[in-house]
């Protein structure tokens, strides 16, 4: 009982700290005023997220970490240079994500490539990119070695593979629109996040593409895992939690546009 309680408290702390970090960094990225900051805080503390932060599953924590890294990529892209904070956040997230769930190696690779592209475009020190790439490759290599030694399988405990079948397509769409499991049903604000992605596509193309590829890849992998649709008996909508914070954080772009229009009138 003490271990379970400790795990719940740990997840609550890590997820909450991550959400606060996302809020502050998005505020920095788009220069949100007090009212917009408050609205973004309300969105990031929506009931669906508050219920999920205490669940002992890696899905939401993966999404929170992924959102942290995506915002850092956007900040690098906007400023034209990489800071030590951004580099550390991206390195830690990309290296650690697959340890939470091996399927997260896909968004981790997307993050690493996105960081390399932004570094090249901003003419940042190539040594930073090399070091972060090396850290990630070593971390992933240790994970695969561990899985091979303890499970006899590089991807960990052998499980049925994702199947891109009719059911797989149905479950993938269900992660977005199902009345019990769907992202846009549990957290409608995610639609505003999609609008924010569209609005930022020209100024922050690398961060936007990294978001779309990461979220899309996760939804397809989870949706086509037909042997355990939606996470079965676990908390409702668990398989779409990873996508939730990554989309919601882009509502900050819409709020920034709203406050700019309000100032003009």
């Amino acid at each position: 009982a003490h271990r379970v309680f400790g795990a719940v408290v740990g997840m609550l702390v890590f997820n909450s700290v991550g959400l606060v970090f996302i809020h502050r960094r998005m505020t920095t990225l788009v220069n949100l005023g007090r009212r917009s900051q408050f609205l973004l805080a309300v969105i990031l503390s929506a009931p669906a997220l508050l219920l999920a932060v205490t669940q002992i599953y890696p899905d939401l924590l993966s999404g929170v970490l992924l959102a942290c890294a995506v915002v850092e990529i956007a900040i690098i892209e906007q400023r034209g240079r990489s800071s030590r904070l951004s580099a550390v956040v991206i390195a830690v997230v990309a290296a650690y994500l697959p340890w939470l769930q091996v399927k997260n190696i896909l968004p981790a690779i997307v993050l690493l490539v996105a960081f390399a592209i932004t570094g090249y475009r901003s003419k940042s020190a190539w040594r930073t990119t090399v070091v972060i790439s090396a850290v990630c490759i070593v971390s992933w290599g240790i994970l695969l070695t561990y899985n091979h030694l303890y499970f006899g399988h590089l991807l960990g405990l052998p499980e049925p593979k994702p199947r891109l079948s009719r059911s797989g397509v149905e479950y993938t769409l269900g992660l977005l629109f199902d009345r019990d499991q769907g992202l846009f049903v549990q957290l409608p604000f995610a639609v505003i996040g999609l609008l924010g992605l569209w609005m930022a596509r020209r100024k922050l193309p690398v961060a936007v593409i990294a978001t779309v590829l990461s979220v899309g890849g996760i939804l397809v992998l989870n949706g086509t895992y037909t042997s355990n649709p939606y996470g079965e008996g676990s908390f409702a909508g668990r398989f779409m939690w990873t996508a939730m914070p990554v989309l919601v954080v882009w509502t900050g772009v819409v709020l920034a546009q709203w406050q700019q229009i309000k100032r003009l009138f």
Side-chain angles (χ1 to χ4, degrees):
H2 293 293
R3 291 182 179 180
V4 174
F5 177 75
V8 171
V9 172
M11 294 298 288
L12 175 62
V13 171
F14 286 124
N15 282 316
S16 299
V17 170
L19 290 171
V20 171
F21 181 81
I22 291 169
H23 179 276
R24 301 317 304 156
R25 296 300 280 171
M26 177 53 75
T27 296
T28 298
L29 174 66
V30 294
N31 192 28
L32 292 179
R34 289 185 179 180
R35 187 171 299 179
S36 296
Q37 290 182 42
F38 174 75
L39 290 174
L40 182 60
V42 170
I43 293 172
L44 288 172
S45 58
L49 277 169
L50 290 180
L51 288 173
V53 293
T54 59
Q55 301 302 307
I56 312 175
Y57 297 107
D59 305 82
L60 180 62
L61 182 57
S62 297
V64 170
L65 292 175
L66 182 57
C68 290
V70 165
V71 173
E72 294 304 319
I73 289 173
I75 290 175
I76 295 172
E77 198 170 10
Q78 181 193 66
R79 295 179 177 178
R81 57 183 174 82
S82 175
S83 66
R84 182 173 298 179
L85 174 61
S86 295
V88 169
V89 169
I90 293 169
V92 171
V93 171
Y96 181 63
L97 269 181
W99 285 87
L100 290 173
Q101 171 54 255
V102 71
K103 63 191 172 187
N104 287 338
I105 197 167
L106 175 59
I109 292 173
V110 170
L111 289 177
L112 187 57
V113 172
F115 177 73
I117 293 173
T118 53
Y120 175 78
R121 295 179 64 182
S122 62
K123 298 181 180 180
S124 300
W126 59 269
R127 293 179 181 177
T128 302
T129 303
V130 172
V131 170
I132 291 178
S133 300
V135 169
C136 291
I137 292 172
V138 169
S139 177
W140 302 342
I142 293 174
L143 172 62
L144 295 177
T145 303
Y146 173 85
N147 287 340
H148 178 69
L149 291 176
Y150 286 92
F151 298 104
H153 192 268
L154 289 176
L155 300 181
L157 186 66
E159 296 179 346
K161 297 180 180 179
R163 295 179 57 193
L164 190 59
S165 59
R166 180 177 179 180
S167 296
V169 174
E170 177 186 342
Y171 293 144
T172 300
L173 293 175
L175 289 174
L176 296 174
F177 304 108
D178 184 84
R179 64 181 179 181
D180 297 316
Q181 312 282 350
L183 169 62
F184 296 121
V185 175
Q186 289 202 15
L187 196 63
F189 287 119
V191 176
I192 304 177
L194 286 179
L195 178 59
L197 275 172
W198 177 258
M199 293 170 63
R201 71 191 188 284
R202 292 181 179 176
K203 291 185 178 180
L204 305 169
V206 177
V208 169
I209 292 174
T211 300
V212 172
L213 290 179
S214 298
V215 170
I218 288 169
L219 289 175
V220 170
L221 285 175
N222 283 340
T224 55
Y225 187 52
T226 55
S227 61
N228 187 24
Y230 303 130
E232 284 291 350
S234 58
F235 208 75
R238 177 168 72 89
F239 273 9
M240 61 79 184
W241 283 352
T242 305
M244 188 185 290
V246 191
L247 289 181
V248 171
V249 71
W250 287 98
T251 59
V253 175
V254 180
L255 292 174
Q257 186 67 27
W258 168 74
Q259 73 180 15
Q260 185 176 358
I261 293 174
K262 190 174 181 181
R263 288 170 183 168
L264 292 175
F265 293 94

